Amino acid sequence: MAFKKFSILINLFVSYFLPFFLLMTSLSLAQDDHESICQSTIDPSYCKNMLANQNGNNNNIYDYGRFSFQKSISQTQKFLTLVNSYLQNTNTLSQPTIGALQDCSFLSQQSLEYLSNTFTTINQTSNSDNLLPSSQAEDFQTILSAVVTNQQTCLEGLSQTSFDQDLKNELSSSLSNDTKLHSVSLALFNKAWVPSKKTLTSWPKNKHNFNFHNGNLPLKMSKKAQEIYDHAKNKHGRKLLQNNADGGGDDGGVLVSDIVVVSQDGSGNFTNINDAIRAAPNNSVASDGYFFIFVSEGVYEEYVSIDKTKKYLMMVGEGINQTIITGSHNVVDNFTTFNSATFAVVGQGFVAVNITFRNTAGPSKHQAVALRSGSDLSIFYSCSFEGYQDTLYTHSLRQFYRECDIYGTVDFIFGNAAVVFQDCNIYPRLPIKGQFNAITAQGRTDPNQNTGTSIQNAIVKPADDLAPNVGSVQTYLGRPWKQYSRTVFMESSIDGFINSAGWHEWSGDFALSTLYYAEFNNTGNGCDTSNRVTWPGFHVIVNSTDAAAFTVSNFLSGDNWIPQAGVPYLSGLNN
């Protein structure tokens, strides 16, 4: 009898109470506590205060995320309006101030577009099917990382100028608060919509090693492009490009939609590079193929800018130190670091081959950029970057450099892109008296950003002017420009002129516990890590799986987009 009563009670629980219990549990789980959600952000107090203003009683992480994005969009628009209002009346402003405000306007417009595109997508996802496909989630995480970077770049530009203090304080205060807000949006996006990290692979995978040296590409061209190609080939008396018009081979060649030639002697379509860029179609997509710009031998003294509408351009020169693009803008002469670049590219999918990018301002002019890239999925192959301080500005988004030469002194590879340098030659030069060389200055400001600098299979040795003076100049692998600076040297040859400590602090103990600096399987007289810095954030990687996180395949998902350009690359680690 007792067993029968017990059985009845069990049936009642299963039939009535258990479903109610499960329902209440699921509701409790759906109603996320914003205080616990905010622990994944870098400023939990700010996050809690901001989310406390969200209306409704059934908020979960998806509601909080959408709310945060709406505020980010609104604040970015307000800041952009404020900046543009100052640019309406520039009579009382100095040229450096105008330049800084123009940078801020450009960057804010870009951020507004990034935020709006992300919000449109997440606003269409249901809470029951919230995770985005891995590739799409990575795309959005990348552009949201760039939003935070854009804010920092604007703030730095303003800090380099001297103008009305009240105006400066107003803009800086707004930027500081907006950066916190964008950081929350990034953190909530990662927590709510990004799938679990993919499994990292550590084995070597060498893919798409086309014969691309000296401008040889497997091309698949239209009839019109073929005619222009033939003309260029005959004009220059040698095979500039490896024609694959029939799309032969397993990879079908590199698809080219059109070809134009830049030649200073008037024999091409254009005599300067900017005119050729203007001729490119707007807003091409990857499937359209590349608009191909061949730049013949010569020194091009022009400041080149490729805006967001000029996508999937491929620019090929006749070789390093043969096709040279040069300028001399610098901060001493009243340019911001951002707009000092000789060559600046934003348009997605840009590819450059066989070109020297140069800034001739010299070491005494301090920050002077040869090339700045904020081009997502951009590739630089067999190029040279020449300058002194701040030579190569890998500003944001995803970038790949292969078999390039990079020259400079202070922080000469810097920025906050997700970038891999592979098989490159890195040449520290002779700085001005009293300076030391720092090869890298990585600019990650938020641990939720998927950014960092990975240097693989590089050769690090002194440039010709530094070689006789290595005893009097200290050279380091890098220093932490920002709080969460992340840089890895792996499988590289490091010459003995590198200081045995390896790395240099930025200012006191700033970032030493939050940075991530690492070395893995390097060789050469400068690779010994026994006397390296003892900072909490420095690591000697011994596990190949840990190192594999910074390979082309894992760090950039490069297998998905590099093959289109036909350039050689190594997906993983060496044998």
Side-chain angles (χ1 to χ4, degrees), residues 11-58:
N11 288 333
L12 285 171
F13 177 78
V14 171
S15 301
Y16 298 102
F17 296 107
L18 183 60
F20 178 75
F21 173 77
L22 292 175
L23 175 62
M24 295 307 295
T25 300
S26 66
L27 287 174
S28 175
L29 289 173
Q31 297 175 14
D32 296 320
D33 176 10
H34 71 274
E35 293 197 4
S36 61
I37 288 173
C38 287
Q39 294 309 310
S40 64
T41 68
I42 59 174
D43 192 339
S45 177
Y46 173 86
C47 175
K48 292 171 189 176
N49 291 334
M50 189 267 289
L51 295 185
N53 295 323
Q54 164 69 306
N55 296 323
N57 298 318
N58 297 322

Side-chain angles (χ1 to χ4, degrees), residues 205-241:
K205 296 188 298 178
N206 203 10
K207 292 194 172 185
H208 300 280
N209 273 308
F210 295 125
N211 179 22
F212 199 11
H213 285 280
N214 298 317
N216 294 321
L217 303 85
L219 294 175
K220 185 167 70 174
M221 296 182 283
S222 66
K223 183 178 179 180
K224 177 184 177 183
Q226 176 69 50
E227 292 173 354
I228 297 173
Y229 159 75
D230 288 339
H231 173 77
K233 181 175 66 173
N234 293 332
K235 165 66 180 173
H236 293 274
R238 63 185 177 87
K239 190 171 184 180
L240 300 173
L241 312 168

Side-chain angles (χ1 to χ4, degrees), residues 248-474:
D250 294 338
D251 298 284
V254 176
L255 183 63
V256 173
S257 61
D258 203 352
I259 292 181
V260 296
V261 176
V262 179
S263 183
Q264 291 177 324
D265 65 6
S267 63
N269 306 91
F270 304 97
T271 57
N272 67 76
I273 297 168
N274 280 304
D275 284 347
I277 292 167
R278 280 188 283 270
N282 291 335
N283 298 314
S284 297
V285 295
S287 58
D288 292 337
Y290 290 101
F291 183 85
F292 190 102
I293 302 173
F294 174 72
V295 186
S296 62
E297 183 176 1
V299 178
Y300 294 81
E301 296 182 6
E302 55 179 306
Y303 295 93
V304 178
S305 180
I306 302 177
D307 69 29
K308 67 178 183 179
T309 66
K310 303 299 183 180
K311 300 178 180 180
Y312 294 96
L313 302 187
M314 179 178 282
M315 187 177 293
V316 177
E318 292 205 63
I320 290 174
N321 291 329
Q322 296 183 67
T323 297
I324 301 167
I325 305 171
T326 184
S328 60
H329 288 171
N330 59 85
V331 297
V332 173
D333 291 336
N334 295 326
F335 294 88
T336 62
T337 302
F338 186 79
N339 65 33
S340 71
T342 299
F343 193 104
V345 55
V346 175
Q348 181 174 307
F350 177 74
V351 180
V353 184
N354 294 341
I355 297 173
T356 291
F357 302 93
R358 182 178 290 168
N359 191 309
T360 60
S364 64
K365 292 298 183 76
H366 300 292
Q367 296 97 324
V369 176
L371 180 134
R372 185 193 82 232
S373 177
S375 166
D376 197 21
L377 313 180
S378 55
I379 298 170
F380 298 85
Y381 177 72
S382 189
C383 289
S384 182
F385 306 91
E386 300 177 7
Y388 288 86
Q389 183 170 348
D390 289 5
T391 302
L392 178 54
Y393 196 173
T394 58
H395 180 262
S396 55
L397 305 171
R398 291 164 290 194
Q399 306 178 26
F400 177 61
Y401 296 73
R402 169 85 180 198
E403 296 174 39
C404 293
D405 297 337
I406 309 163
Y407 297 82
T409 55
V410 180
D411 308 333
F412 64 95
I413 300 173
F414 76 112
N416 195 25
V419 56
V420 174
F421 293 89
Q422 196 172 85
D423 290 25
C424 293
N425 298 311
I426 299 175
Y427 298 111
R429 305 174 84 167
L430 183 66
I432 58 176
K433 187 176 181 179
Q435 285 185 334
F436 62 85
N437 288 332
I439 294 172
T440 64
Q442 205 282 324
R444 186 165 169 252
T445 60
D446 191 316
N448 289 301
Q449 290 178 305
N450 61 352
T451 55
T453 297
S454 174
I455 297 175
Q456 181 185 23
N457 293 339
I459 295 176
V460 182
K461 63 181 182 180
D464 289 344
D465 61 346
L466 178 62
N469 300 283
V470 292
S472 59
V473 176
Q474 298 301 312

Side-chain angles (χ1 to χ4, degrees), residues 531-547:
N531 292 315
R532 288 295 195 250
V533 293
T534 58
W535 307 337
F538 173 71
H539 307 270
V540 176
I541 298 176
V542 296
N543 187 313
S544 62
T545 300
D546 294 337

Side-chain angles (χ1 to χ4, degrees), residues 61-73:
I61 190 169
Y62 311 106
D63 296 325
Y64 285 129
R66 294 184 184 101
F67 174 71
S68 181
F69 270 92
Q70 287 175 313
K71 284 187 67 67
S72 282
I73 292 169

